Amino acid sequence: MTADRSNQPAADYPWTRKSLPLSVINPKEHFEGPVGPIEHEDADECEIDIKNIGWTLGNDCPYRCTHCYSMSAREKGMDFTPEMIDRIVGQLALNGVETVNLGGNEPLFTNGPNPRDTLLPRIIDGLVDAGIIVGLTTSGITGLHLERDHNAQWRRLNDLDVSFDSPFEDEHNANRGAKIYKQAIRTLELAKEYGLDHTIIMCGMNWNFTIRHLERLLELAVEYDAHIRINPIKPVEPAHMDSLLPAEQYYEGFAFLMEHCSPVDLGEPPIAAVTDYQKAKGCPCGRTSFRIHSITPDGRIPVSPCVYLHDYKVGDLREDDLYDIIRSPQFRSFRRRNANPDLLAGCEGCGMLQQCRGGCAGRSYLHHAHETGERSLFVRDPYCPRDVAPKFEFPQRPTVPTDRRLVHMDYLCTWIGKPK
């Protein structure tokens, strides 16, 4: 399949850019010690209700996606051992975790680039045996190896997310730095054949979140009976700022998707606000979800409230109790932000505050940091619906299904829909 690029100059693509924006913060400073500020320590917190978490398994990855959010946290780490896995699974079960998404890099590569060395099957078995629902995010290669070489564990998955950077083959391959579009398509086919719930996940960027791209994405989802999930890009790296969605494009794209899809999860706070979604609770990070990061070169396995905010990683799951990590100052800062959105400049008195709650914490923090050089959780989302006042029509007070469980529901600020 060849992409139609007639309306988009090549210079708009991140893989063709020759220069990077000036970095005002160092995205790898977190390796030197805690850098995320602890703010408003006297403020109240929202309730802890940890249920849905993510686990970055891969300590290696053969691809070089331009929007990768784990590159700044990935330094080829130690390999996992069965003992490490058993302790982590035990900690998750002890603390009532209900769902785990295995992702980050490629989850197949738990112990380097040779698939024969993977401990992924043991991880899946351990989690499922502990009564935890398991999903997996892949560009395709993990799904293909799992179905072929570890079919029993493949069948134990609850759901599968397959990453597409573009619904057009040449764009997808160029952004991934490898010809892997057909692997992604084959993984969708397998999931459909096995009756495994599956989702096309795309990171929304200014070059791929166009109506033309979304129309083709809908066609793929219908063809393979898939959900669609959109994560608007979070600028973990300074270079990501060049791929940010302009506010108008953000709202136009989601209005189009809401017109053509039934919502499954409305975890993207500004969209919850403009639709007046009555069950919105704001950013889930540190409240219902967190991320286990990939193992470090010195063998630590840190945790952070948000997958994108490496600045707030804390602890070591080889030794520390998860109960204490969840109650650390880093996690408490996120819960204070959720409970007190009126403390964010510009949010006080807003009529959409209950649904939006200041928006996505990770996006707000990173955008503000790259724009100003200052780190703060207590800043509002750059897609603030009151300031933007989108002109597009959105359905009001939508409902989402309660009879389906996908591992990305109420995990991350994300949007999930199913084509009508």
Side-chain angles (χ1 to χ4, degrees):
M1 184 182 299
T2 302
D4 173 12
R5 296 183 178 177
S6 58
N7 296 323
Q8 188 164 15
D12 285 347
Y13 293 101
W15 58 88
T16 66
R17 295 173 188 149
K18 302 300 182 184
S19 61
L20 298 178
L22 178 66
S23 176
V24 293
I25 64 167
N26 177 5
K28 292 193 174 185
E29 190 176 343
H30 61 86
F31 280 114
E32 302 169 10
V35 292
I38 308 302
E39 303 168 271
H40 295 286
E41 295 184 70
D42 294 332
D44 294 334
E45 302 174 31
C46 67
E47 181 183 358
I48 300 172
D49 189 24
I50 298 294
K51 292 181 179 179
N52 313 305
I53 72 110
W55 186 354
T56 297
L57 291 182
N59 69 358
D60 205 340
C61 185
Y63 311 125
R64 292 296 178 265
C65 309
T66 65
H67 61 284
C68 180
Y69 58 80
S70 64
M71 188 70 74
S72 64
R74 185 198 308 151
E75 291 190 359
K76 179 63 171 67
M78 290 177 60
D79 290 342
F80 277 105
T81 66
E83 293 75 22
M84 291 178 188
I85 292 167
D86 292 346
R87 186 179 196 279
I88 293 172
V89 170
Q91 286 290 306
L92 297 179
L94 185 64
N95 285 272
V97 169
E98 296 179 3
T99 76
V100 174
N101 168 58
L102 304 175
N105 309 320
E106 270 290 336
L108 177 68
F109 303 118
T110 62
N111 288 27
N114 189 340
R116 294 183 179 180
D117 297 329
T118 187
L119 291 180
L120 177 60
R122 182 187 179 100
I123 293 169
I124 293 172
D125 282 339
L127 290 167
V128 176
D129 288 347
I132 297 172
I133 296 169
V134 179
L136 188 145
T137 300
T138 177
S139 65
I141 187 171
T142 297
L144 296 179
H145 275 273
L146 202 60
E147 188 274 338
R148 185 189 68 190
D149 301 330
H150 308 282
N151 194 262
Q153 287 75 29
W154 162 265
R155 291 173 180 270
R156 301 192 83 180
L157 294 176
N158 178 75
D159 59 290
L160 186 75
D161 282 52
V162 184
S163 298
F164 283 79
D165 299 342
S166 170
F168 301 113
E169 184 172 353
D170 61 341
E171 288 183 351
H172 176 80
N173 290 341
N175 197 63
R176 292 262 154 175
K179 294 182 178 181
I180 57 174
Y181 181 88
K182 289 182 173 61
Q183 290 184 1
I185 292 294
R186 179 56 184 152
T187 306
L188 287 178
E189 292 174 345
L190 286 171
K192 184 178 180 182
E193 290 171 12
Y194 278 83
L196 176 64
D197 270 335
H198 51 289
T199 300
I200 295 172
I201 162 63
M202 190 173 79
C203 176
M205 295 174 273
N206 54 21
W207 63 271
N208 70 359
F209 201 61
T210 69
I211 299 303
R212 180 175 68 90
H213 285 82
L214 295 178
E215 287 174 340
R216 178 58 186 144
L217 201 68
L218 279 166
E219 291 173 357
L220 283 178
V222 170
E223 181 177 357
Y224 295 103
D225 192 25
H227 297 85
I228 293 174
R229 183 164 68 87
I230 301 293
N231 275 348
I233 188 170
K234 315 301 189 294
V236 176
E237 302 272 358
H240 296 163
M241 294 293 284
D242 277 348
S243 295
L244 285 182
L245 287 170
E248 183 173 359
Q249 186 180 6
Y250 170 91
Y251 284 106
E252 180 184 24
F254 278 114
F256 176 85
L257 288 170
M258 292 289 288
E259 179 184 356
H260 294 281
C261 296
S262 299
V264 174
D265 189 66
L266 290 170
E268 183 65 24
I271 303 305
V274 297
T275 58
D276 195 20
Y277 177 48
Q278 294 297 290
K279 293 189 176 182
K281 296 182 180 179
C283 179
C285 297
R287 175 178 60 84
T288 66
S289 70
F290 62 79
R291 185 74 167 206
I292 303 173
H293 285 285
S294 56
I295 191 167
T296 64
D298 58 359
R300 291 179 298 110
I301 304 175
V303 181
S304 72
C306 172
V307 61
Y308 305 108
L309 292 190
H310 311 307
D311 286 1
Y312 284 88
K313 67 182 185 182
V314 61
D316 179 1
L317 274 180
R318 296 177 311 165
E319 302 173 353
D320 298 330
D321 288 338
L322 182 57
Y323 180 93
D324 296 327
I325 291 174
I326 292 169
R327 288 158 180 81
S328 66
Q330 287 80 3
F331 273 71
R332 296 183 68 187
S333 288
F334 280 76
R335 292 194 292 271
R336 285 195 291 268
R337 183 186 189 274
N338 182 278
N340 302 278
D342 54 304
L343 293 177
L344 281 61
C347 286
E348 61 277 6
C350 178
M352 290 183 275
L353 201 59
Q354 183 61 37
Q355 281 76 26
C356 182
R357 310 198 74 78
C360 170
R363 178 168 58 228
S364 303
Y365 176 95
L366 291 165
H367 188 277
H368 181 76
H370 290 306
E371 286 283 328
T372 68
E374 298 176 355
R375 291 178 164 99
S376 176
L377 270 183
F378 283 76
V379 291
R380 58 181 167 162
D381 199 301
Y383 301 132
C384 169
R386 183 175 68 177
D387 282 359
V388 175
K391 61 184 179 182
F392 307 100
E393 291 187 7
F394 286 88
Q396 294 300 294
R397 299 200 171 188
T399 58
V400 299
T402 57
D403 60 346
R404 172 157 285 171
R405 192 76 181 268
L406 303 175
V407 296
H408 282 92
M409 296 172 72
D410 209 17
Y411 166 67
L412 300 177
C413 291
T414 196
W415 179 94
I416 307 174
K418 187 69 183 287
K420 295 176 181 177

